[in-house]
Structure formats: structure tokens, C-alpha cells
Amino acid sequence: MKCYNRRMLRVDLTKKRFFVEEIRDEDLKGFIGGKGLGIKILLEKLGKNVSPLSPENLLVFAVGPVEGLTFPGGAKAGVFFKSPLTGVFGESYCGGTFGPQLKLAGYDVLIVTGVSDKPTYLKIFDGEVEFKDASHLWGRDAYETEDIIKRDEDRRIQVACIGPAGENLVRFACINNVKGRQFGRCGAGAVMGSKRLKAIAILGTGKIEPENFEEYNRIREYLLEKSKTILKSLTEYGTAPMITLMSKAGALPTRYWREGEFEEVEKISAETMKKNVVKGNRACYGCPIACGKFSRVESGPFAGVEVEGPEFETLYSFGSLCGVGNLEAIVKANEVCDRLGMDTISAGNVVAFAIECFERGILGEEAVGGLRLSFGDWETILKLLPKIAYREGFGDVLADGVREVAKRIGGEAEKLAVHVKGLEPPAYDPRGIKAKALAYAISSRGACHLRHFVHRPNLVGKHAFKKDVAVDRFSHEEQVEMIVELEDFYTLVDTMILCRFVCLPVIGPLLWDEVTRLYNALTGLNVKTEDLVKTAVKINQMVRVFNVREGVTRKDDYPPERFYREPLKKGVADGHVVEKERFEGMLNKYYRIRGWDRDGKPSLKV
Ligand code: SF4
């Protein structure tokens, strides 16, 4: 099989040792790459009930067969670990340059374990691996760290690093790459910080070639053509147009999940971004879609602030969710999170949750360090962010995420907290898109939009894979089969390590059959779509086995209580709730299709 190195680099930071292990062909065939190999390795090599911030936890970076080629949407990497935010399976994906460099350096997988006695960064230059002192980098932000390593090593070297939030074990700390791409969700940055690993710097000079170049090229050309038409908006505006779309749909979480429509949405819209701050496009390695937006604030209190973004999810988390209609302040919040190394979705949620508790009188001024918190007050929000990253005062409480903050406050706060399995949700209110309630509830990493992407078929009113079947976004049980199929499809996408933006429900351009053709062209195998479906189902079952092993039961597969009892306000979904009985019906049906018992236990033995 071409397009694999068949090599796994294993690094032990405690002993400062590394070795290279061969990956067997049968494992590559059975698990493909990315998420497949990630969960296989975690189940085999990570003990049960290991503390996520202990030396024993693993960081398993993995790519798929497409990385290293200049294929649209083929520049990602995944990292798999036990999450310090949720305590269950952690997975996070990053564009940029890290994945392709890992592959070109000669590895499909990099496993990091142990803890270094002092701050360290790993330098990987093809077959050479060095443990380098990072004492001078400890405390530096992510942008500075990347600049210093490039200056000291080689301008071509590509850096994945943590900021101070990762060093301080903020549970939603991220890992940064190319000053704007992140392994954002689930706290991989905190795991890296717990290992005193400041950065991984990689340079690869290898070459990857598809087995069937002609077929590969046909698929590539097809994708390039489609990217000029159906993916055109991504190139022009990035992900930002979703903010207006979601507000119009009445499902944009606003003022900490009180409302579904944001009256100031035009101030933070894609058009406003384009007019006021966007200066150009940025792309991941070899991707012509270039959906990243490079922004700079020209005037006012944030003049000179530069960031890649804000993406839609950041416009939501620091915009509508915090009641902020000031685009430049959101750009600043984005820059602070990127530099200090925090996931913007979780950071925005934890700040908005604190505001919610303060406004309702559950938290007093004294508890929050003398600050007065209110929705829309971006100045105070910006003051809180460094406190979280450095764990100062009230920031130390917020640094553990919404679930832990709610536990600390207790009482009413626990009923207001919005999370699933400890992960704060992205920008889709399930009261306005009912399928999202099940998708959040059963996502293996907690409330997540990417494991199913079910909002998209709901927003366009069409089935993800059957163009003639209509979808009603206020329907419940009718959507369960589609959610299962989407979950399997995106498991395959995350196993192949493809970017979702070339694998969108309804429009593709790559859906089941095209991904199968691509896989065959890359590897020279001749599998059928049904075979890949079976592989995806198996990987999903293995992830569930991991989560059940770590204590997940049916009680963890529910949306936040607030969605049942508090009707959404404003907009076209005004008055809607998630109906508990209908949700139970969805969950039972999902378990039945998956072959799990009533408590959510799979029969698969691993
Ligand atoms: S579509 Fe965007 S996120 Fe996906 S690989 Fe291309 S540039 Fe990166």
C-alpha cells in the first residue's frame, strides 16, 4: 500500500528515549489512519482510569493516507488522548502544516508519553529526533514560541506548541500551529503542558505518491472544479456567514443560551468582517480553498491586532453568546486566546456562564474578584481571559471549564450550566434544531458539532445523503438513522484525516463513494463503500468501549437540562424546548441501531 510510511514514532519524555515501531499492514487496512489508529492505540496502550494530566496519559498524533500530498482538504492531523476537560475520549483536529510535516518526516503516528523533568521541545527532522531545552520558551505565548523556534532551528520547520494556558493546565488549553490553526477542543494543550512539552517542531523532506496517480488526479481535479463553485463562499468569506444564517434560523445561542437570535448580528457578520478587518486569505498546506481569513484591526483601541479568523464559532462564543456586538473586541479576544493557547469555544462559554451566574445573583462581586460582569461588556471579558490562562483569582476557577465551575458554585448554577460530558457546545441551539440534542448527547467527546454535522441537512432541509428526502428541523425520531449515518461518515473522514469542508453533507463534493474512490486510488486497494462503512462502525464501537471503560453510562448521554425546561426566546424558534419524552425516544432508537443495551453498553469486546 502506498501513501503510508508504516512507521510510528514513540517518544518517552521521562526517559528521554524514542524508538520507531513498524505499523503492520493489517492494522493500516483495518484502521486506515487518524481516528482508527488513535482509538486502537489508546485502547491497547492506555490503562483504565489513568488521570488525564498524569505522565501515563498518551498524546497520539496521527495522519491518514492523504497527508503529504497537495490535495484540497488533505492537510490535517488528529490528536487522540484522554481529555482533562471531560475525562473521556479526547480527539481534536488541526489544519495548517503539522500533519503533512509529520507524514513527510516519515511517520504516520507520533505517540508522546511520560513527563520531562524540565521544559522541553521535541525536534523531529526526518529520522532525527532531539529533546531540546525549552526553559527559555516556558511562559512565552504561542506566536513567540513559534517565531523563536523557527529563528533558532530552521525557517522551514513547522511548530505545534502550547501557550501559557497549556503550561498552567487550563483544561481547555489548545495546541497551536502556524499562528491561527489549533488542535482546539478537549484540552490537548493541558496534556502537553502536564508533560512539560512546550512544542513539537517538525521538518520532513520525504515524498508521498499515490498508487494510482491518474485516478487520484481525476478526483483532485473534480474537487478543484467544485471548489470554484459549491465551495466558493468558503474561499470568499470563510465560515463567518454562518453567524447570520444561524441568527435568522433562530438557533444562534445568544446571551448564554437564553435567546436564539442576536439583534446585533450585522455588526459581526461576514460582510462586516470583510469590509472592516479581513486583509486576505490563509490556507492549510497545499489547499487551494484557503478558507482562513487573515484579519487586522486598523483603528480604535485594538489597532494593530492581527489574527487568523475569527471563525464562525469564535464570532458566536465571544459575540452572540457573550452579547457582544463589537467585531474588533472579538478579534482581540480571538488573538488573546490564540496567543495564550485556549480553545475559543470553551473560553467564550465559561466566560458567558460566569456572566449568566452573576446577572442572576448566583455569583457575587466578591467571588469574581471585584469585577462586575454583564453581557455585552467586552472590556471586562477581555480582562478575564488572561486571568484564566494564568489561573489568577477567579480565573483559576474558570480554567476548569463550565462543568467544574458549576459544581464549585453548586445549586442553581448546575441547572444553568450548558455542557455534555463536560464539553461546552458550539453554536447550534438544539431547541431550534432538534436533531442537535441527540448529536450533542451521544457525541463521544461531549457536545460537538463535528461528529455528525447534522445542522447542515437541517438548515437546508435536505437529507445528508439522499437528495430527494426532505428534513424538518423540528422533527425528532425521524432523524436518528441519518444521525447514525453521519456519525459513521465523519468517523471515516476523521480516520482518513480529511477536512470536513470537502466532505459536506448534501453537497459533498466528497461523500461515501468519492471517499472510497480516493482511498483506493491512494492505497491501491480495491475496497467497496460497504467495507469502509463497516470499518467506521467498528471504530465508533471501539470509542464507545473506551468511554464505557472510563465510566460513561446512559446518564451521560443527555443534553443539558436547561434545554427541556427553558423555552428559547426570540427569533423563529421562539418558545421551543427539547421535549424530554421525544428525546428518550431518539436515544432509545440510537442505542438500538448501534446494538447497545439500554444503558448504552456495546456488546463489542476489545
Ligand atoms: S478547506 Fe480550509 S480548513 Fe480545510 S484544509 Fe482547506 S484551508 Fe484548511
Short mmCIF file of all heavy atoms in Angstrom, two decimals, residues 73 76 181 282-284 287 289-291 499 501, ligand 1:
data_model
loop_
_atom_site.label_atom_id
_atom_site.label_comp_id
_atom_site.label_asym_id
_atom_site.label_seq_id
_atom_site.Cartn_x
_atom_site.Cartn_y
_atom_site.Cartn_z
N GLY A 73 -8.05 19.96 1.16
CA GLY A 73 -8.63 19.37 2.37
C GLY A 73 -7.83 18.21 2.92
O GLY A 73 -8.30 17.48 3.79
N LYS A 76 -4.65 17.89 7.28
CA LYS A 76 -4.98 17.90 8.71
C LYS A 76 -4.18 16.86 9.49
O LYS A 76 -3.49 16.02 8.91
CB LYS A 76 -6.47 17.62 8.87
CG LYS A 76 -7.35 18.68 8.20
CD LYS A 76 -8.18 19.40 9.19
CE LYS A 76 -8.82 20.65 8.63
NZ LYS A 76 -9.48 21.45 9.63
N ARG A 181 -4.02 28.09 13.50
CA ARG A 181 -4.70 26.79 13.42
C ARG A 181 -4.47 26.08 14.74
O ARG A 181 -3.39 26.20 15.33
CB ARG A 181 -4.13 25.95 12.28
CG ARG A 181 -4.32 26.60 10.93
CD ARG A 181 -5.71 26.35 10.38
NE ARG A 181 -5.99 27.18 9.22
CZ ARG A 181 -7.11 27.10 8.51
NH1 ARG A 181 -8.04 26.24 8.85
NH2 ARG A 181 -7.31 27.88 7.48
N ARG A 282 -5.91 32.77 4.08
CA ARG A 282 -4.84 31.86 4.51
C ARG A 282 -5.28 30.43 4.25
O ARG A 282 -6.46 30.12 4.41
CB ARG A 282 -4.52 32.06 5.98
CG ARG A 282 -3.63 33.26 6.21
CD ARG A 282 -2.92 33.15 7.53
NE ARG A 282 -2.02 34.26 7.74
CZ ARG A 282 -1.58 34.61 8.92
NH1 ARG A 282 -1.94 33.96 9.99
NH2 ARG A 282 -0.75 35.63 9.04
N ALA A 283 -4.31 29.61 3.91
CA ALA A 283 -4.64 28.22 3.56
C ALA A 283 -3.81 27.25 4.38
O ALA A 283 -2.69 27.55 4.80
CB ALA A 283 -4.35 28.00 2.08
N CYS A 284 -4.36 26.06 4.58
CA CYS A 284 -3.56 24.96 5.10
C CYS A 284 -2.65 24.47 3.97
O CYS A 284 -2.88 24.78 2.80
CB CYS A 284 -4.46 23.82 5.55
SG CYS A 284 -5.67 24.29 6.80
N CYS A 287 -3.72 23.55 0.20
CA CYS A 287 -5.17 23.60 -0.04
C CYS A 287 -5.57 24.88 -0.77
O CYS A 287 -5.45 25.97 -0.21
CB CYS A 287 -5.94 23.47 1.27
SG CYS A 287 -7.73 23.44 0.97
N ILE A 289 -8.49 25.98 -1.39
CA ILE A 289 -9.74 26.58 -0.92
C ILE A 289 -9.44 27.79 -0.03
O ILE A 289 -10.16 28.80 -0.07
CB ILE A 289 -10.61 25.54 -0.18
CG1 ILE A 289 -10.97 24.42 -1.17
CG2 ILE A 289 -11.88 26.16 0.39
CD1 ILE A 289 -11.51 23.16 -0.55
N ALA A 290 -8.37 27.72 0.73
CA ALA A 290 -7.90 28.87 1.53
C ALA A 290 -9.04 29.55 2.29
O ALA A 290 -9.31 30.73 2.12
CB ALA A 290 -7.18 29.87 0.61
N CYS A 291 -9.70 28.76 3.16
CA CYS A 291 -10.86 29.31 3.86
C CYS A 291 -10.48 30.20 5.04
O CYS A 291 -11.33 30.88 5.60
CB CYS A 291 -11.77 28.18 4.33
SG CYS A 291 -11.05 27.21 5.67
N CYS A 499 -10.37 17.11 5.55
CA CYS A 499 -11.07 18.29 6.08
C CYS A 499 -12.56 18.15 5.79
O CYS A 499 -12.96 17.77 4.69
CB CYS A 499 -10.52 19.54 5.39
SG CYS A 499 -11.38 21.03 5.89
N PHE A 501 -14.62 20.35 5.21
CA PHE A 501 -15.15 21.30 4.22
C PHE A 501 -15.12 20.75 2.80
O PHE A 501 -15.69 21.35 1.90
CB PHE A 501 -14.38 22.63 4.28
CG PHE A 501 -14.58 23.35 5.58
CD1 PHE A 501 -13.65 24.27 6.04
CD2 PHE A 501 -15.71 23.13 6.36
CE1 PHE A 501 -13.82 24.93 7.24
CE2 PHE A 501 -15.90 23.78 7.56
CZ PHE A 501 -14.95 24.68 8.01
S1 SF4 B 1 -10.75 23.94 3.39
FE1 SF4 B 1 -9.87 25.41 4.83
S2 SF4 B 1 -9.61 24.27 6.78
FE2 SF4 B 1 -9.94 22.76 5.11
S3 SF4 B 1 -7.85 22.18 4.51
FE3 SF4 B 1 -8.54 23.85 3.13
S4 SF4 B 1 -7.80 25.75 4.06
FE4 SF4 B 1 -7.67 24.13 5.63
#
